[in-house]
Amino acid sequence: MHKMNQMQPAMSQTINVEQLHIALNSLRTLRSSVSNVFETLSNGLRADHGEDGKDKFLLELQELLNNVNVNLRDLEQTVNTIPIPTAPFNLGNTTYLSQETTQDRQALYTQLVNSYKWTDKIHEYSSFAHTLLSQNSLKRSYINSGSGKRRGKLQSNHNVAPLQVDNVINNIDRSYNDMKITISRPFASNAIVHINLSHVLKAVVAFKGLLMDWVMVKGYGETLDLWSESRHHVFRKVTENAHAAMLHFYSPTLPELAVRSFMTWLHSYVNLFSEPCKRCSCHLHHTSLLPPAWRDFRTLEPFHDECKQ
């Protein structure tokens, strides 16, 4: 008996919710029929009414008004079936907001309701996102929460001391006699690396800590900046390939190796205009008329974009 008494409020609450849904649907139908009446009145007589347009218009309007009366009667019957609450709603501590006399605080209840709706939607959407993400079987992250093995703590390579970045870049600079690398920091602590490659090209690489974020390649006689492209088609092509190389060598666990590998790849362009393509053995491609602007990531051999396939 005690369990039956506990189930009765829950069942009545379910019925009330269903009745509320029915009442809201009836109200929506009524509003739609009223909108049809006003839309017909605003349009007035139309060409499809024919010669007896006035009579047809009045008949159409009468039919729409009858639909409004039917929908209104349905709404009244549905509302009458909803039981009236016997006790006041429990609003918790928010009931004390009605006692506020300050003008600025009288709108707090509306703000609280909006905040509740917002947080409720966040909870709903986060549940959907968790369900979708948990179905993803691709494990490309370096951190796997389901793994039983103990892993070392991964360092954040976005926030690295500027001295450490300078040491890495300077060590790479000393490795090449025909490639000059300089460092500047116009934007806070992140480094901007300028590269001059043996009177062949110039490049600028933006870093976030030890991770490469952006690269731009231009001709040796052009003004170098991060955002404007080169006026020469060949260096625009080299910039595209440099972005591909930057993504290829990306490694958050071994950032120094990634930077050194990228610089080695970029240094292979020292023979951009002198070494022919390894596939067709031509300096200029017969259709694009460009030198081999692609370098293999492993062998660093030159290829035309059309010949690298």
Side-chain angles (χ1 to χ4, degrees):
M1 291 295 295
H2 180 66
K3 291 184 177 179
M4 292 293 294
N5 293 331
Q6 288 180 344
M7 292 176 60
Q8 287 179 357
M11 294 177 59
S12 62
Q13 184 178 4
T14 305
I15 296 175
N16 291 341
V17 172
E18 292 178 355
Q19 292 173 343
L20 284 175
H21 281 298
I22 296 174
L24 290 175
N25 290 331
S26 301
L27 177 61
R28 190 180 298 109
T29 304
L30 177 62
R31 294 181 64 180
S32 177
S33 59
V34 172
S35 298
N36 292 333
V37 172
F38 284 106
E39 183 179 359
T40 303
L41 289 174
S42 62
N43 292 332
L45 293 175
R46 302 189 303 273
D48 57 352
H49 287 145
E51 296 180 355
D52 300 333
K54 185 176 181 180
D55 295 335
K56 292 183 178 179
F57 176 75
L58 292 177
L59 290 175
E60 181 181 357
L61 185 61
Q62 183 178 3
E63 182 179 357
L64 292 175
L65 291 175
N66 289 334
N67 290 334
V68 171
N69 290 330
V70 172
N71 294 332
L72 180 61
R73 192 179 304 112
D74 292 341
L75 178 62
E76 290 177 349
Q77 293 176 358
T78 305
V79 171
N80 291 331
T81 59
I82 300 177
I84 301 176
T86 57
F89 293 104
N90 183 17
L91 300 179
N93 294 331
T94 57
T95 54
Y96 296 107
L97 292 175
S98 60
Q99 302 176 7
E100 273 289 348
T101 57
T102 307
Q103 185 72 21
D104 297 336
R105 298 184 179 179
Q106 289 181 356
L108 280 178
Y109 184 74
T110 304
Q111 296 176 2
L112 286 174
V113 172
N114 293 332
S115 299
Y116 174 77
K117 292 179 179 179
W118 184 74
T119 52
D120 189 51
K121 286 185 177 180
I122 288 180
H123 179 73
E124 181 181 1
Y125 293 157
S126 61
S127 300
F128 292 155
H130 178 267
T131 303
L132 294 175
L133 293 175
S134 61
Q135 296 174 356
N136 185 11
S137 60
L138 298 178
K139 304 295 183 181
R140 300 185 63 182
S141 175
Y142 286 94
I143 302 176
N144 188 359
S145 58
S147 176
K149 299 180 181 180
R150 297 185 60 184
R151 297 180 181 270
K153 185 178 180 181
L154 298 179
Q155 296 180 353
S156 175
N157 295 297
H158 291 279
N159 188 14
V160 179
L163 182 60
Q164 183 179 353
V165 179
D166 292 349
N167 291 333
V168 173
I169 301 301
N170 290 330
N171 290 333
I172 297 174
D173 181 38
R174 287 191 290 266
S175 302
Y176 302 101
N177 296 324
D178 51 357
M179 186 169 70
K180 181 63 176 177
I181 303 176
T182 57
I183 305 172
S184 63
R185 287 187 170 82
F187 310 110
S189 59
N190 290 325
I192 303 295
V193 175
H194 298 264
I195 304 169
N196 291 330
L197 181 58
S198 186
H199 298 278
V200 176
L201 58 80
K202 295 191 297 185
V204 58
V205 183
F207 281 77
K208 283 187 177 180
L210 268 176
L211 300 179
M212 294 176 292
D213 186 60
W214 187 258
V215 60
M216 182 65 66
V217 180
K218 290 187 176 183
Y220 191 79
E222 294 184 279
T223 303
L224 191 61
D225 62 86
L226 274 173
W227 312 119
S228 60
E229 294 183 340
S230 173
R231 65 176 182 269
H232 303 294
H233 185 39
V234 59
F235 293 113
R236 293 198 297 269
K237 183 63 66 175
V238 174
T239 300
E240 294 178 6
N241 297 335
H243 279 285
M246 182 178 64
L247 295 175
H248 175 78
F249 294 119
Y250 173 78
S251 176
T253 55
L254 299 171
E256 296 184 14
L257 179 61
V259 175
R260 184 175 294 275
S261 300
F262 176 80
M263 294 299 179
T264 303
W265 177 88
L266 186 63
H267 179 264
S268 64
Y269 282 93
V270 69
N271 55 8
L272 175 62
F273 299 107
S274 60
E275 189 169 353
C277 174
K278 290 295 183 182
R279 177 66 59 84
C280 64
S281 300
C282 296
H283 288 280
L284 300 179
H285 194 264
H286 63 279
T287 57
S288 64
L289 300 179
L290 291 177
W294 173 262
R295 295 296 184 271
D296 186 83
F297 294 139
R298 186 174 58 88
T299 63
L300 304 180
E301 293 179 340
F303 292 93
H304 296 112
D305 278 8
E306 297 81 1
C307 298
K308 67 181 180 180
Q309 303 297 336

mmCIF file of all heavy atoms in Angstrom, residues 244-270:
data_model
loop_
_atom_site.group_PDB
_atom_site.id
_atom_site.type_symbol
_atom_site.label_atom_id
_atom_site.label_comp_id
_atom_site.label_asym_id
_atom_site.label_seq_id
_atom_site.Cartn_x
_atom_site.Cartn_y
_atom_site.Cartn_z
ATOM 1 N N ALA A 244 51.872 22.008 -45.981
ATOM 2 C CA ALA A 244 51.712 20.551 -45.927
ATOM 3 C C ALA A 244 52.844 19.904 -45.137
ATOM 4 O O ALA A 244 52.626 18.974 -44.350
ATOM 5 C CB ALA A 244 51.650 19.981 -47.347
ATOM 6 N N ALA A 245 54.076 20.420 -45.332
ATOM 7 C CA ALA A 245 55.211 19.870 -44.588
ATOM 8 C C ALA A 245 55.095 20.174 -43.099
ATOM 9 O O ALA A 245 55.436 19.338 -42.251
ATOM 10 C CB ALA A 245 56.514 20.450 -45.146
ATOM 11 N N MET A 246 54.606 21.369 -42.764
ATOM 12 C CA MET A 246 54.443 21.733 -41.358
ATOM 13 C C MET A 246 53.472 20.783 -40.660
ATOM 14 O O MET A 246 53.700 20.358 -39.515
ATOM 15 C CB MET A 246 53.946 23.175 -41.269
ATOM 16 C CG MET A 246 53.768 23.710 -39.864
ATOM 17 S SD MET A 246 53.220 25.435 -39.871
ATOM 18 C CE MET A 246 51.617 25.259 -40.666
ATOM 19 N N LEU A 247 52.387 20.421 -41.347
ATOM 20 C CA LEU A 247 51.440 19.473 -40.772
ATOM 21 C C LEU A 247 52.010 18.055 -40.745
ATOM 22 O O LEU A 247 51.725 17.282 -39.826
ATOM 23 C CB LEU A 247 50.136 19.493 -41.573
ATOM 24 C CG LEU A 247 49.348 20.805 -41.534
ATOM 25 C CD1 LEU A 247 48.145 20.733 -42.462
ATOM 26 C CD2 LEU A 247 48.897 21.124 -40.123
ATOM 27 N N HIS A 248 52.828 17.724 -41.746
ATOM 28 C CA HIS A 248 53.409 16.380 -41.801
ATOM 29 C C HIS A 248 54.386 16.148 -40.655
ATOM 30 O O HIS A 248 54.388 15.075 -40.030
ATOM 31 C CB HIS A 248 54.115 16.182 -43.143
ATOM 32 C CG HIS A 248 54.852 14.883 -43.248
ATOM 33 N ND1 HIS A 248 54.218 13.685 -43.504
ATOM 34 C CD2 HIS A 248 56.184 14.590 -43.110
ATOM 35 C CE1 HIS A 248 55.114 12.713 -43.523
ATOM 36 N NE2 HIS A 248 56.311 13.227 -43.300
ATOM 37 N N PHE A 249 55.214 17.137 -40.365
ATOM 38 C CA PHE A 249 56.229 16.978 -39.321
ATOM 39 C C PHE A 249 55.713 17.327 -37.927
ATOM 40 O O PHE A 249 56.474 17.242 -36.961
ATOM 41 C CB PHE A 249 57.440 17.862 -39.637
ATOM 42 C CG PHE A 249 58.188 17.445 -40.878
ATOM 43 C CD1 PHE A 249 58.303 18.302 -41.955
ATOM 44 C CD2 PHE A 249 58.768 16.194 -40.970
ATOM 45 C CE1 PHE A 249 58.985 17.932 -43.098
ATOM 46 C CE2 PHE A 249 59.457 15.799 -42.109
ATOM 47 C CZ PHE A 249 59.562 16.674 -43.170
ATOM 48 N N TYR A 250 54.454 17.715 -37.811
ATOM 49 C CA TYR A 250 53.903 18.126 -36.521
ATOM 50 C C TYR A 250 53.979 16.973 -35.516
ATOM 51 O O TYR A 250 53.572 15.851 -35.790
ATOM 52 C CB TYR A 250 52.447 18.555 -36.693
ATOM 53 C CG TYR A 250 51.734 18.850 -35.401
ATOM 54 C CD1 TYR A 250 51.935 20.054 -34.733
ATOM 55 C CD2 TYR A 250 50.847 17.930 -34.850
ATOM 56 C CE1 TYR A 250 51.268 20.328 -33.547
ATOM 57 C CE2 TYR A 250 50.184 18.198 -33.669
ATOM 58 C CZ TYR A 250 50.410 19.399 -33.029
ATOM 59 O OH TYR A 250 49.751 19.673 -31.851
ATOM 60 N N SER A 251 54.533 17.276 -34.341
ATOM 61 C CA SER A 251 54.647 16.277 -33.288
ATOM 62 C C SER A 251 54.650 16.977 -31.931
ATOM 63 O O SER A 251 55.655 17.578 -31.534
ATOM 64 C CB SER A 251 55.939 15.456 -33.451
ATOM 65 O OG SER A 251 56.090 14.553 -32.372
ATOM 66 N N PRO A 252 53.528 16.953 -31.209
ATOM 67 C CA PRO A 252 53.495 17.632 -29.906
ATOM 68 C C PRO A 252 54.379 16.983 -28.853
ATOM 69 O O PRO A 252 54.734 17.621 -27.862
ATOM 70 C CB PRO A 252 52.014 17.570 -29.516
ATOM 71 C CG PRO A 252 51.463 16.430 -30.283
ATOM 72 C CD PRO A 252 52.238 16.359 -31.552
ATOM 73 N N THR A 253 54.723 15.705 -29.045
ATOM 74 C CA THR A 253 55.575 15.036 -28.065
ATOM 75 C C THR A 253 57.061 15.259 -28.341
ATOM 76 O O THR A 253 57.869 15.204 -27.419
ATOM 77 C CB THR A 253 55.287 13.527 -28.063
ATOM 78 O OG1 THR A 253 55.442 13.011 -29.398
ATOM 79 C CG2 THR A 253 53.864 13.251 -27.585
ATOM 80 N N LEU A 254 57.420 15.497 -29.606
ATOM 81 C CA LEU A 254 58.822 15.749 -29.987
ATOM 82 C C LEU A 254 58.894 17.033 -30.801
ATOM 83 O O LEU A 254 59.152 17.009 -32.018
ATOM 84 C CB LEU A 254 59.382 14.563 -30.783
ATOM 85 C CG LEU A 254 59.413 13.210 -30.063
ATOM 86 C CD1 LEU A 254 59.789 12.104 -31.047
ATOM 87 C CD2 LEU A 254 60.388 13.248 -28.893
ATOM 88 N N PRO A 255 58.646 18.184 -30.184
ATOM 89 C CA PRO A 255 58.582 19.431 -30.954
ATOM 90 C C PRO A 255 59.926 19.837 -31.551
ATOM 91 O O PRO A 255 59.970 20.395 -32.649
ATOM 92 C CB PRO A 255 58.081 20.448 -29.929
ATOM 93 C CG PRO A 255 58.488 19.889 -28.610
ATOM 94 C CD PRO A 255 58.415 18.405 -28.742
ATOM 95 N N GLU A 256 61.034 19.587 -30.831
ATOM 96 C CA GLU A 256 62.339 19.971 -31.368
ATOM 97 C C GLU A 256 62.650 19.182 -32.632
ATOM 98 O O GLU A 256 63.169 19.737 -33.613
ATOM 99 C CB GLU A 256 63.419 19.743 -30.307
ATOM 100 C CG GLU A 256 63.251 20.613 -29.066
ATOM 101 C CD GLU A 256 64.391 20.416 -28.090
ATOM 102 O OE1 GLU A 256 65.415 19.825 -28.482
ATOM 103 O OE2 GLU A 256 64.253 20.842 -26.924
ATOM 104 N N LEU A 257 62.344 17.890 -32.640
ATOM 105 C CA LEU A 257 62.555 17.075 -33.836
ATOM 106 C C LEU A 257 61.672 17.558 -34.983
ATOM 107 O O LEU A 257 62.108 17.565 -36.146
ATOM 108 C CB LEU A 257 62.270 15.612 -33.521
ATOM 109 C CG LEU A 257 62.417 14.623 -34.678
ATOM 110 C CD1 LEU A 257 63.843 14.625 -35.211
ATOM 111 C CD2 LEU A 257 62.000 13.225 -34.243
ATOM 112 N N ALA A 258 60.448 17.979 -34.678
ATOM 113 C CA ALA A 258 59.552 18.477 -35.718
ATOM 114 C C ALA A 258 60.110 19.744 -36.354
ATOM 115 O O ALA A 258 60.095 19.893 -37.587
ATOM 116 C CB ALA A 258 58.167 18.733 -35.126
ATOM 117 N N VAL A 259 60.623 20.673 -35.535
ATOM 118 C CA VAL A 259 61.188 21.917 -36.066
ATOM 119 C C VAL A 259 62.436 21.625 -36.898
ATOM 120 O O VAL A 259 62.617 22.167 -38.000
ATOM 121 C CB VAL A 259 61.506 22.893 -34.918
ATOM 122 C CG1 VAL A 259 62.203 24.141 -35.446
ATOM 123 C CG2 VAL A 259 60.214 23.272 -34.188
ATOM 124 N N ARG A 260 63.312 20.769 -36.401
ATOM 125 C CA ARG A 260 64.541 20.446 -37.131
ATOM 126 C C ARG A 260 64.224 19.739 -38.459
ATOM 127 O O ARG A 260 64.855 20.022 -39.491
ATOM 128 C CB ARG A 260 65.448 19.583 -36.264
ATOM 129 C CG ARG A 260 66.800 19.272 -36.881
ATOM 130 C CD ARG A 260 67.678 18.523 -35.915
ATOM 131 N NE ARG A 260 68.024 19.361 -34.765
ATOM 132 C CZ ARG A 260 69.041 20.216 -34.745
ATOM 133 N NH1 ARG A 260 69.812 20.346 -35.830
ATOM 134 N NH2 ARG A 260 69.299 20.918 -33.667
ATOM 135 N N SER A 261 63.235 18.848 -38.459
ATOM 136 C CA SER A 261 62.858 18.156 -39.688
ATOM 137 C C SER A 261 62.285 19.132 -40.704
ATOM 138 O O SER A 261 62.584 19.034 -41.912
ATOM 139 C CB SER A 261 61.840 17.057 -39.378
ATOM 140 O OG SER A 261 62.380 16.109 -38.477
ATOM 141 N N PHE A 262 61.488 20.081 -40.228
ATOM 142 C CA PHE A 262 60.916 21.060 -41.157
ATOM 143 C C PHE A 262 62.008 21.944 -41.749
ATOM 144 O O PHE A 262 61.989 22.241 -42.955
ATOM 145 C CB PHE A 262 59.867 21.906 -40.432
ATOM 146 C CG PHE A 262 59.299 23.011 -41.284
ATOM 147 C CD1 PHE A 262 58.307 22.748 -42.218
ATOM 148 C CD2 PHE A 262 59.765 24.314 -41.156
ATOM 149 C CE1 PHE A 262 57.792 23.769 -43.012
ATOM 150 C CE2 PHE A 262 59.262 25.325 -41.937
ATOM 151 C CZ PHE A 262 58.269 25.058 -42.870
ATOM 152 N N MET A 263 62.948 22.375 -40.925
ATOM 153 C CA MET A 263 64.028 23.225 -41.428
ATOM 154 C C MET A 263 64.901 22.463 -42.430
ATOM 155 O O MET A 263 65.360 23.029 -43.423
ATOM 156 C CB MET A 263 64.863 23.740 -40.261
ATOM 157 C CG MET A 263 64.119 24.693 -39.338
ATOM 158 S SD MET A 263 63.561 26.182 -40.189
ATOM 159 C CE MET A 263 62.722 27.046 -38.844
ATOM 160 N N THR A 264 65.129 21.187 -42.186
ATOM 161 C CA THR A 264 65.888 20.374 -43.141
ATOM 162 C C THR A 264 65.143 20.264 -44.462
ATOM 163 O O THR A 264 65.749 20.360 -45.546
ATOM 164 C CB THR A 264 66.146 18.984 -42.551
ATOM 165 O OG1 THR A 264 66.831 19.111 -41.306
ATOM 166 C CG2 THR A 264 66.965 18.129 -43.503
ATOM 167 N N TRP A 265 63.832 20.077 -44.376
ATOM 168 C CA TRP A 265 63.018 20.011 -45.592
ATOM 169 C C TRP A 265 63.049 21.334 -46.340
ATOM 170 O O TRP A 265 63.193 21.368 -47.568
ATOM 171 C CB TRP A 265 61.595 19.626 -45.219
ATOM 172 C CG TRP A 265 60.642 19.589 -46.384
ATOM 173 C CD1 TRP A 265 60.386 18.540 -47.208
ATOM 174 C CD2 TRP A 265 59.823 20.670 -46.837
ATOM 175 N NE1 TRP A 265 59.468 18.890 -48.161
ATOM 176 C CE2 TRP A 265 59.102 20.188 -47.954
ATOM 177 C CE3 TRP A 265 59.633 21.978 -46.409
ATOM 178 C CZ2 TRP A 265 58.195 20.985 -48.648
ATOM 179 C CZ3 TRP A 265 58.736 22.784 -47.103
ATOM 180 C CH2 TRP A 265 58.025 22.274 -48.213
ATOM 181 N N LEU A 266 62.935 22.452 -45.612
ATOM 182 C CA LEU A 266 62.944 23.760 -46.264
ATOM 183 C C LEU A 266 64.309 24.057 -46.885
ATOM 184 O O LEU A 266 64.394 24.698 -47.941
ATOM 185 C CB LEU A 266 62.560 24.845 -45.250
ATOM 186 C CG LEU A 266 62.387 26.259 -45.795
ATOM 187 C CD1 LEU A 266 61.242 26.314 -46.802
ATOM 188 C CD2 LEU A 266 62.140 27.247 -44.649
ATOM 189 N N HIS A 267 65.384 23.589 -46.262
ATOM 190 C CA HIS A 267 66.728 23.836 -46.796
ATOM 191 C C HIS A 267 66.935 23.129 -48.133
ATOM 192 O O HIS A 267 67.800 23.540 -48.933
ATOM 193 C CB HIS A 267 67.778 23.368 -45.779
ATOM 194 C CG HIS A 267 69.183 23.553 -46.254
ATOM 195 N ND1 HIS A 267 69.911 22.523 -46.852
ATOM 196 C CD2 HIS A 267 70.001 24.637 -46.258
ATOM 197 C CE1 HIS A 267 71.101 22.964 -47.183
ATOM 198 N NE2 HIS A 267 71.194 24.246 -46.822
ATOM 199 N N SER A 268 66.155 22.088 -48.413
ATOM 200 C CA SER A 268 66.311 21.376 -49.683
ATOM 201 C C SER A 268 65.915 22.235 -50.882
ATOM 202 O O SER A 268 66.222 21.874 -52.027
ATOM 203 C CB SER A 268 65.483 20.084 -49.671
ATOM 204 O OG SER A 268 64.095 20.371 -49.586
ATOM 205 N N TYR A 269 65.258 23.379 -50.645
ATOM 206 C CA TYR A 269 64.908 24.286 -51.738
ATOM 207 C C TYR A 269 66.083 25.154 -52.183
ATOM 208 O O TYR A 269 65.891 26.052 -53.002
ATOM 209 C CB TYR A 269 63.736 25.176 -51.325
ATOM 210 C CG TYR A 269 62.397 24.482 -51.395
ATOM 211 C CD1 TYR A 269 61.862 23.847 -50.285
ATOM 212 C CD2 TYR A 269 61.676 24.436 -52.588
ATOM 213 C CE1 TYR A 269 60.646 23.204 -50.341
ATOM 214 C CE2 TYR A 269 60.450 23.803 -52.658
ATOM 215 C CZ TYR A 269 59.938 23.183 -51.530
ATOM 216 O OH TYR A 269 58.724 22.532 -51.597
ATOM 217 N N VAL A 270 67.266 24.910 -51.656
ATOM 218 C CA VAL A 270 68.434 25.679 -52.079
ATOM 219 C C VAL A 270 68.715 25.451 -53.564
ATOM 220 O O VAL A 270 69.321 26.296 -54.236
ATOM 221 C CB VAL A 270 69.649 25.308 -51.196
ATOM 222 C CG1 VAL A 270 70.097 23.891 -51.478
ATOM 223 C CG2 VAL A 270 70.781 26.303 -51.381
#
